[in-house]
Amino acid sequence: MTDTADTRAHYAHCTTIDTRWMDNDAYGHVNNVVYYSFFDTAVNRWLIERGLLDIAGSDAIGLVVETQCRYRSPITFPDRVTAGVRVVHLGRSSVRYELALFRNDDDVPAATGHFVHVYVDRASRTSVPIPDAVRQALEGLRTSSSPSSTT
């Protein structure tokens, strides 16, 4: 991930997530752990809405093996967060998403980060290839970090 802040146009998909009263901490802003929850929600919502993840029944599941978040400016309740998602690496069994969290109507992210899923067999927890339907859909999120009109 580059150190420069991308705009919303640099992300292949965006989804809106509302902050909650309980997300704020004693310092008056959304607690850092909630940013990771926003990342997780954005990726898994995308998978579920496309029928690519059945939480209780998918044979292959993506486990998070790495995350990172860079905090750029605070988010507070009752802000609306737009999470931008793009795929920057698609391997045999892993996918690396880059994400950005935009506060309200801001076009510069409040936070940026990445999230890596490794696909494993649900029962054995051994690495498996990304399922074909998932791979095909993830190709649609692939970007070279340049502005995209896809949402």
Side-chain angles (χ1 to χ4, degrees):
M1 173 168 269
T2 63
D3 285 333
T4 61
D6 294 325
T7 65
R8 293 173 193 243
H10 289 90
Y11 292 85
H13 174 74
C14 289
T15 189
T16 302
I17 305 166
D18 290 327
T19 57
R20 304 164 304 169
W21 174 256
M22 66 183 257
D23 294 337
N24 276 5
D25 62 18
Y27 302 111
H29 57 78
V30 170
N31 188 270
N32 61 302
V33 71
V34 178
Y35 289 66
Y36 286 97
S37 178
F38 292 152
F39 288 172
D40 199 32
T41 295
V43 169
N44 286 297
R45 177 186 286 170
W46 185 86
L47 290 166
I48 291 166
E49 287 176 349
R50 282 148 187 80
L52 301 170
L53 173 61
D54 174 349
I55 296 170
S58 293
D59 292 332
I61 56 174
L63 298 182
V64 176
V65 298
E66 180 179 304
T67 62
Q68 178 189 30
C69 184
R70 291 189 178 134
Y71 306 95
R72 300 178 184 280
S73 62
I75 297 172
T76 61
F77 176 81
D79 288 337
R80 183 187 69 257
V81 173
T82 299
V85 181
R86 64 186 176 205
V87 167
V88 295
H89 174 76
L90 192 55
R92 182 190 77 81
S93 62
S94 68
V95 56
R96 179 182 166 121
Y97 303 91
E98 285 186 352
L99 299 112
L101 302 177
F102 299 91
R103 180 181 169 268
N104 298 321
D105 295 325
D106 292 350
D107 201 37
V108 175
T112 56
H114 71 263
F115 185 101
V116 178
H117 265 155
V118 170
Y119 277 80
V120 299
D121 176 79
R122 178 186 294 273
S124 70
R125 297 294 203 239
T126 57
S127 175
V128 296
I130 296 171
D132 291 339
V134 175
R135 176 177 295 283
Q136 183 177 0
L138 290 171
E139 286 288 353
L141 288 179
R142 211 186 258 254
T143 179
S144 62
S145 299
S146 61
S148 168
S149 61
T150 309
T151 57

